[in-house]
Amino acid sequence: MATRTPDGVHATRARRRGGLLVVAFGLLAYTGTTAVDAPTRALGLSWSIIGAAGALGVLTIMVAARRRAVRLEDAARLAMAMAALAALAVGVAFAPEGAERGFVVAVTGVLAAALAVYASLAGDLRRTGRGAA
């Protein structure tokens, strides 16, 4: 008998998807921390912020879903959205002058937007919470 989440998604499939996201965000954080030298400082700092916040946020949301902790999920989603804004600010502040500036700002903006979108669309426990139809 397969265990299903309240939304009808197989629990093992949801855990596998969450694990893949943790690995992806972890690789982004690792890449960011290895690219913090002077020429790639803006990308390195913003990628490490986005990767660390994404990995910790996904893990926290997975734990919150398992324990049905709506407040913990809300806190993780808010922290991920704030980290996306902070990463965008750091990326713009440390972007190099010249032709590379637009590229750095665009890449940082796309990754920060992806983190913010994930934070807003990640599993919502309120749909299946107390009294929900």
Side-chain angles (χ1 to χ4, degrees), residues 1 15 18-19 29 40 47 51 57 76 80 109 112 121 131:
M1 177 179 210
R15 281 192 297 267
T40 58
W47 287 10
M80 289 169 71
L121 297 178

Side-chain angles (χ1 to χ4, degrees), residues 30-85:
Y30 174 75
T31 303
T33 56
T34 58
V36 183
D37 23 335
T40 58
R41 180 173 300 147
L43 287 175
L45 290 174
S46 62
W47 287 10
S48 60
I49 292 169
I50 291 169
L56 289 174
V58 170
L59 284 173
T60 305
I61 288 172
M62 288 172 61
V63 168
R66 185 154 177 93
R67 295 182 182 201
R68 304 265 187 251
V70 175
R71 288 185 182 170
L72 181 61
E73 180 183 338
D74 287 342
R77 292 169 70 172
L78 179 64
M80 289 169 71
M82 295 302 291
L85 288 174

Side-chain angles (χ1 to χ4, degrees), residues 64-133:
R66 185 154 177 93
R67 295 182 182 201
R68 304 265 187 251
V70 175
R71 288 185 182 170
L72 181 61
E73 180 183 338
D74 287 342
R77 292 169 70 172
L78 179 64
M80 289 169 71
M82 295 302 291
L85 288 174
L88 183 62
V90 165
V92 170
F94 287 107
E97 296 297 325
E100 296 88 13
R101 183 171 182 82
F103 174 76
V104 170
V105 170
V107 169
T108 301
V110 167
L111 288 174
L115 180 63
V117 166
Y118 178 77
S120 67
L121 297 178
D124 193 1
L125 293 176
R126 272 182 241 132
R127 285 179 284 174
T128 59
R130 296 174 226 135

